[in-house]
Amino acid sequence: MMQYQTQRVFPLISPSPLAPTSLPAQGATSRNANISFQTTSPVDASSSGSFVGSLLTLPTLFGDWMKIALLGAVVEFARRGFATLWAALVGMFFFTARFDDDSDAYDWLMVWLSKNNAWKSARALQASTRESDCHLTSDENVIALPDGSGQVSETDKKLIFLPGFGSTHTFFYKGFPVQIHRERTTDGWGHTKESMTLSMFGRERKVLDKLLLDAQALHKSRQEKSIVIYQPDMLNMWRRRGTRARRPLSSIILDSQIKETLLEDARDFLRSASWYSERGIPFRRGYLLHGAPGSGKTSLIHAVAGELNLDVYVISLSKPGLNDTSLSALICDLPARSIALIEDIDAAFTHDINREEPRFPGLGVSTGGSPDMSGRWGAPSGGGITLSGLLNAIDGIYAQEGRILFATTNRYSALDPALVRPGRLDMHFEFHLASTWQAREIFKCFYPANCADDDECEETVDEKRVRFQSSDDLSWSSTPEKRSERAPFKLTEKQREALANKFAATIPDRFLSMATLQGYLMRYKTEPRQAAENAKAFVDGQKKKKVVERRELAAIQTGGPPVGLSALPKTPRTPTAPRAI
C-alpha cells in the first residue's frame, strides 16, 4: 500500500518586514503535521558580536575620548604627586618665613635687601614719592627731586625705587640659596596689605636667624640719628608715619632742672624691670607735663625720646571712631620699650578746637564746638572715649607693661583726680612762661660765638639793613630775594654775652612763651645785633595784643560787645556826585 505523507503548510504572515518567519527546510519529513514558528531579533548572533566589538574598536565613537581622559588622569596624578614630593623636600631642606608690612622685620629686610646685588638688578620696579617709603631702601635707591627753583635739598620730595610686586629674586647668603617673593593683596574692604616670603636652603634655622640679626643691625644703624613716629590707621593698627631727627637735650632750655630730673627717672625705670617684678608692681611709668602753651612740653618729649632711643606712638583721643575698646587695643599693642604720647589729654572730654568758649558769641563767629540744648557752647559732642575707659586703658589689667606714658595739658585743673594719681601719671612737671634766664639762653643758643677777636668780627652789610616797624609787629624792608642772601654773622664770646644780656633785659619775666621768643629770633637768623635792638619794640607790640585780648575777654564775661570788633575802623563811604533831576 502506498503511503502518502502530507505536509500542511500555512502561510506565515510576518508582523513586520523587519521580523520575518523562518520556514522549515524543504524536504523535511515529519510523521505528524507540525507547525513551527520562530521569531528572531533584528540582528542575529553574529551581527550582535560585531556590534559589541565595534564599541571597543571603532575610534569614531568613544575610544579617543577615553584615551584622553585616561591620559589626563595620569598627568594630574603625576603633577599632584610631584607637588607633594616637592613640598616634602622643601619642608625638609628649606625654611620658609612670611613677613607682613606691619611687622618691624619687614622693614629690616627691605633695607638689608636694598644692599644686595640681586635686589639692585631687579627689572620690575615700583616708584614711590611717599616719605614713609624712604626707610624701606638704602640711600642709593633714592633720588632727591629739585624744588620749583631748581635747587635740591634734604627736605625736598624724593623718588624711591623698590622692587615690584609679584617678582621673585634669588641670591646666596653665606653659601646658602635664598629666594625672596614680594606681593600685595587687597581685602574685601579695599585695604591693601604687603608681604614678603623668604625661603632659604638648610637643615637648621641658625642661618635664617643670622640673616634677620644682620638686617636688624643694618636697619638700626640707619636710625641712630632719628626717632620713628607711629600713629594708628583706619583699622586701628599702628603704622609708621615717618622719622624725625633727634633733638639735642641741650637745645631744650628749662628752669628748675626739669629735663635732668625727668631723664634720670626714665632711665632708672627702664633698667628696673626685675625690681618691679619682685615687688608685684606693674612695670609702667607715666609723666604729666602741664603749663602754659608753647613752653616746651612736646619739645622735651622729643629730646627725651632721642636720648632713650625709644620710638614714639602718638595717641589722639579725638580720632574719629575711637572708643574705649579700640583705645585699649591700641595701648595693648604697644611695644615694651616705647613712648606713648597723649597730647592735650584734657581735650578728650571737651571737643572744642581751642577748649574755650567762642570769643564772639551771638555774632556767628566761633572757634569750634557746638551749642547744646541750652544754647551753651563748649558742650561735649558725644565722643566715644569715657573717663572710665581711659583709666582702664592706662593701668587696667590688660594694659601694656614696659612702656612710658607722656601726657600733656594746658589746663591742669580740668583733669580728674583719678587720672593724675600715682600709678597712672606718677610725676607732674609744670611749665611756665619764659624767664629772663631762659630768654638769655635761647639767644645764646641761636647765635654761637664764631670768631676769636674783634678784628674778625666787623659788622657785615646785612647787619646794617634798615628795618621798619608796623603797629604791632616788625617786618623786613628788604625783599625776599635779598633775605635769602644774608651773610653769616660774626661774634666773639664777649659780644655774644653782651647782646644776650641786652636782649634778656628787654624781655619781661614770665610774660612771653618760649615759642614766641623762638618765632621772633627766627626772623633774625644771621643778625644777632638787630635781634637785640628790635626786641623792645617787639615786646611793646605783644603788650598791646595782651591788652586787647583782656578787654575782649572782659566784654565777653559782661555780655557787652567785643572790643576787638567795635574797635575796627569803619570803611569810609565813597562820595558820589549829585544826580540831576
Side-chain angles (χ1 to χ4, degrees), residues 12-21 39-42:
L12 181 63
I13 300 175
S14 175
S16 67
L18 298 178
T21 304
T39 304
T40 62
S41 60

Side-chain angles (χ1 to χ4, degrees), residues 337-553:
R337 290 178 57 89
S338 62
I339 290 178
L341 173 59
I342 304 178
E343 291 191 285
D344 294 331
I345 194 171
D346 60 288
F349 313 104
T350 306
H351 296 273
D352 297 343
I353 294 177
N354 66 346
R355 303 180 300 279
E356 296 178 358
E357 293 182 353
R359 299 177 62 183
F360 312 120
L363 298 178
V365 182
S366 171
T367 56
S370 58
D372 58 7
M373 297 300 295
S374 62
R376 293 181 293 103
W377 286 80
S381 58
I385 300 296
T386 64
L387 177 60
S388 176
L390 180 60
L391 298 180
N392 290 329
I394 292 177
D395 72 336
I397 192 172
Y398 42 76
Q400 178 63 277
E401 295 193 355
R403 56 100 182 117
I404 296 177
L405 173 64
F406 278 95
T408 65
T409 180
N410 298 332
R411 300 194 305 169
Y412 182 79
S413 59
L415 300 180
D416 192 275
L419 180 61
V420 298
R421 70 162 176 82
R424 294 189 175 115
L425 296 173
D426 303 276
M427 300 186 67
H428 304 174
F429 297 92
E430 184 176 6
F431 288 67
H432 301 279
L433 295 176
S435 64
T436 303
W437 176 83
Q438 287 178 289
R440 180 171 55 253
E441 292 300 317
I442 193 174
F443 187 93
K444 294 167 64 176
C445 181
F446 265 74
Y447 309 109
N450 52 10
C451 56
D453 50 27
D454 295 339
D455 295 336
E456 298 179 4
C457 294
E458 296 181 358
E459 192 174 18
T460 62
V461 176
D462 288 326
E463 290 279 343
K464 299 178 181 179
R465 181 173 302 142
V466 180
R467 300 174 178 275
F468 70 90
Q469 177 179 341
S470 61
S471 59
D472 58 351
D473 203 351
L474 294 176
S475 303
W476 289 334
S477 60
S478 58
T479 61
E481 292 77 10
K482 291 183 179 180
R483 290 182 221 161
S484 61
E485 300 174 357
R486 289 174 292 178
F489 63 88
K490 296 180 180 180
L491 285 178
T492 62
E493 184 63 33
K494 184 178 179 180
Q495 293 173 339
R496 177 194 181 206
E497 287 291 338
L499 290 175
N501 291 331
K502 180 179 179 180
F503 174 77
T506 59
I507 305 298
D509 191 64
R510 308 300 184 187
F511 178 70
L512 299 175
S513 67
M514 292 294 290
T516 303
L517 295 180
Q518 177 177 301
Y520 168 76
L521 294 176
M522 289 288 292
R523 308 173 190 174
Y524 304 89
K525 295 185 182 69
T526 60
E527 298 168 315
R529 296 176 178 84
Q530 292 292 337
E533 292 174 1
N534 294 334
K536 187 178 184 305
F538 172 75
V539 171
D540 293 340
Q542 293 296 316
K543 288 181 178 180
K544 293 179 181 179
K545 288 184 178 180
K546 295 280 187 181
V547 172
V548 173
E549 290 178 357
R550 292 193 189 100
R551 291 178 179 176
E552 290 178 353
L553 181 59

Side-chain angles (χ1 to χ4, degrees), residues 171-204:
F171 60 94
F172 286 87
Y173 174 75
K174 297 186 180 302
F176 294 90
V178 181
Q179 278 191 344
I180 294 289
H181 181 76
R182 186 166 175 247
E183 60 183 2
R184 172 187 288 173
T185 57
T186 305
D187 58 13
W189 299 96
H191 302 292
T192 59
K193 189 177 185 64
E194 300 178 9
S195 63
M196 181 189 304
T197 303
L198 183 147
S199 299
M200 175 178 290
F201 179 81
R203 296 296 302 271
E204 296 182 358

Side-chain angles (χ1 to χ4, degrees), residues 138-185:
S138 61
D139 297 336
E140 303 171 3
N141 300 323
V142 178
I143 300 176
L145 300 178
D147 56 11
S149 62
Q151 302 296 327
V152 177
S153 64
E154 296 181 357
T155 59
D156 290 334
K157 184 174 291 186
K158 298 177 177 59
L159 181 63
I160 304 103
F161 288 102
L162 300 171
F165 297 100
S167 56
T168 302
H169 306 273
T170 304
F171 60 94
F172 286 87
Y173 174 75
K174 297 186 180 302
F176 294 90
V178 181
Q179 278 191 344
I180 294 289
H181 181 76
R182 186 166 175 247
E183 60 183 2
R184 172 187 288 173
T185 57

